[in-house]
Amino acid sequence: MREAQLRKVLLVRAVEEAEGTARLIPEAERRSATREAARNTGDPPNGDAAREGGALTRRAQAMLAARAELLIEPVLRDHRFVDSVLRLAGGSATAGWLLVLTSVVLGGALSVLDGTRRIDILSRPLLALVLWNLLVYAVVIATAAGSTAGRRANRPVLRALAAESVLRRVRHMVARSARYDTALARALESFVRQWTEVAKPLLVARATRLFHLCAAAAGLGFIGALYLRGLTIDYSAGWESTLLDAERVRTFVSVFYGPASALSGIALPDAPHLEAIRWADGAGGERADYWIHLLAASVAIYVVAPRLVLAFAGMLAVWRHALNIPLPQGLAAYFARTFGEGQAGGLRAVTVAPYGYEPAGDAPARLSQRLRSALGEGVAIDCIAAVRYGDEDGLLRDARQARDGVALALLVNLAATPEEENHGAAIGRLQARLAHHTSGGGLVLVDEGPYAARMQALGGAAERMNERRRTWKAFVERHGAQPCFINLADDPPPAEETERLKAAVLRR
């Protein structure tokens, strides 16, 4: 899947899985987009046919991308800043070009540190620039050769650069959005976390490319400023040193300027010539024309050319990652939920009956969203009115609930103590309904939210929670059913809850 497609898929997924975002992408639009994407790309693969070696097939990826393209439009239309978040998550081209231009200016500034009318052939700024680049090349070679030290020196720096230059502004925009739409902000935070995790190789490749481009730009700025000032200023070239004599300077010049001399054909001066241009007592120096050419050629050899080669290699790495970015964990499960792979055995709906308590606030809506996330948008979720103690005979009496393909779920409260004459009778009624059809799945959901809230102010809450879970588990299993513990007060829910719900509902 391509980078831009995956960003949209992850953003739509984050919106769908966040609490309180049903208004952003209404359920009817989700179902319509699912049907259209399946129709335009072929029937959805069944079972494990959607995977090749544990990964989504190309067709399954195309279906997710087509669906995301349809669903993201209303979100971008109603919340324009989301489009900025989506684009900036891949990196800001404007910020990159600003860094390159800044590097050109800094490189030009290096050329004047030795003076406005003198060129020091032992230029400390130039030496620092070349030595820094040689150090970088050593780290790059060590990393390519698999050196542990090289990896430690290179990767954290690049990852930090990627995180700071690419994601800081995105996170700032997401944080600001919480003032206006808390639910959307939660979805965007989830999107940024998922995208950052899967896009690390791509972000590092982009940071690496920009790193090398900036270094090459600094070298070009140095060369450009050198020649530009040489056109209008009569430079004097020479050297001065307390510790070096002409012979040692000759050795340095031969090593440092040797490649430039070989490339340009400019002969290097001997020791007597170097002694003659040594600055001392206001004398020394010579016309700097050929030294400008040697300086420029040296910067091109040591800095510009290698950095452009590394930038080109970085560009190839960016293309490779962008065209085939690794898919995140959980995307196959998301595909299964979205396109109904989870509807094995013909599951079409889940009916949930709260028993013995009234779920508070938006707990029923949260439960519906979580079941839909676990089972797919094609599965209808029906939360009926709460059933009181003593009304077990009327539990799930609707004829629709006894048809094949409908799973029946009893929702109970962990805070309640299980009683044979009440909860036992309700579970028995559930089991009796299940006996009339074979393709649906039964489920006893145990909501931990109310009991957890009560235990927060008391000591030993974890131990009491575990004890109550054991009590309910033994009670439900004794009646031939299996419990699934959830906490409808958790927002967002734990990641593993989706798989628990799916496994419980589809249990045969």
Side-chain angles (χ1 to χ4, degrees), residues 258-273:
S261 175
L263 181 66
S264 64
I266 298 174
L268 297 175
D270 55 17
H273 186 112

Side-chain angles (χ1 to χ4, degrees), residues 141-496:
I141 293 172
T143 303
S147 166
T148 301
R151 287 196 182 99
R152 289 177 179 173
N154 192 29
R155 290 188 177 179
V157 173
L158 293 177
R159 286 181 180 175
L161 177 60
E164 289 301 318
S165 63
V166 175
L167 298 172
R168 177 183 293 177
R169 188 176 176 189
V170 175
R171 289 169 178 158
H172 178 65
M173 293 178 65
V174 170
R176 290 183 60 188
S177 70
R179 304 175 189 172
Y180 311 104
D181 194 320
T182 304
L184 179 58
R186 284 198 299 265
L188 291 176
E189 289 171 0
S190 175
F191 161 70
V192 172
R193 285 196 304 270
Q194 294 179 52
W195 172 250
T196 303
E197 185 61 31
V198 301
K200 275 184 180 179
L202 176 61
L203 297 179
V204 170
R206 285 202 171 123
T208 304
R209 180 186 60 182
L210 180 60
F211 181 58
H212 295 312
L213 282 176
C214 287
L220 290 173
F222 187 99
I223 295 172
L226 202 61
Y227 277 111
L228 182 63
R229 295 171 64 246
L231 292 174
T232 57
I233 297 174
D234 186 13
Y235 273 123
S236 173
W239 63 281
E240 57 185 349
S241 174
T242 302
L243 301 177
L244 299 179
D245 57 20
E247 285 294 339
R248 289 188 173 89
V249 173
R250 166 62 182 175
T251 301
F252 167 80
V253 167
S254 298
V255 173
F256 187 80
Y257 293 103
S261 175
L263 181 66
S264 64
I266 298 174
L268 297 175
D270 55 17
H273 186 112
L274 289 172
E275 182 62 36
I277 66 172
R278 182 174 186 170
W279 286 311
D281 300 326
E286 66 175 338
R287 188 176 175 82
D289 51 352
Y290 74 91
W291 285 107
I292 290 177
H293 298 313
L294 288 173
L295 282 165
S298 296
V299 173
I301 291 170
Y302 293 126
V303 179
V304 177
R307 290 294 196 156
L308 288 178
V309 171
L310 291 172
F312 180 74
M315 181 176 64
L316 294 179
V318 169
W319 286 350
R320 184 175 68 253
H321 290 300
L323 291 175
N324 194 22
I325 191 168
L327 299 182
Q329 291 184 351
L331 200 62
Y334 173 66
F335 173 87
R337 296 193 301 270
T338 300
F339 287 94
E341 183 184 326
Q343 299 177 44
L347 181 64
R348 299 188 303 275
V350 177
T351 298
V352 179
Y355 176 72
Y357 88 112
E358 188 78 40
D362 59 353
R366 290 184 177 183
L367 177 59
S368 295
Q369 179 61 37
R370 295 179 190 186
L371 285 169
R372 197 172 289 112
S373 296
L375 303 171
E377 294 295 335
V379 177
I381 309 299
D382 184 16
C383 290
I384 66 175
V387 179
R388 297 176 298 176
Y389 291 145
D391 196 21
E392 292 80 16
D393 288 341
L395 182 67
L396 303 171
R397 65 161 60 92
D398 194 332
R400 173 197 168 203
Q401 297 154 359
R403 298 184 312 189
D404 287 349
V406 178
L408 309 179
L410 193 67
L411 178 63
V412 298
N413 187 354
L414 184 71
T417 300
E419 299 175 343
E420 189 67 38
E421 62 274 19
N422 294 317
H423 300 95
I427 297 175
R429 185 63 176 169
L430 174 68
Q431 298 293 76
R433 286 290 178 185
L434 290 175
H436 293 288
H437 58 90
T438 58
S439 62
L443 178 62
V444 177
L445 297 171
V446 185
D447 182 11
E448 301 179 346
Y451 192 69
R454 184 192 305 174
M455 292 296 103
Q456 281 181 352
L458 303 177
E463 182 178 347
R464 296 188 182 193
M465 291 285 292
N466 289 331
E467 181 180 351
R468 186 59 65 96
R469 289 189 191 103
R470 288 192 293 269
T471 299
W472 267 102
K473 185 174 186 296
F475 182 85
V476 173
E477 290 178 346
R478 190 166 66 247
H479 287 79
Q482 291 293 326
C484 180
F485 295 92
I486 60 175
N487 188 338
L488 294 179
D490 279 345
D491 187 20
E496 65 273 10

Side-chain angles (χ1 to χ4, degrees), residues 495-507:
E496 65 273 10
E497 183 180 287
T498 296
E499 292 303 320
R500 288 207 313 268
L501 280 171
K502 181 178 178 181
V505 174
L506 298 180
R507 177 179 54 84

Side-chain angles (χ1 to χ4, degrees), residues 16-33:
E16 289 186 287
E17 294 181 349
E19 296 287 350
T21 56
R23 57 186 170 74
L24 298 175
I25 306 179
E27 182 175 343
E29 292 186 15
R30 301 182 191 189
R31 294 181 180 179
S32 175

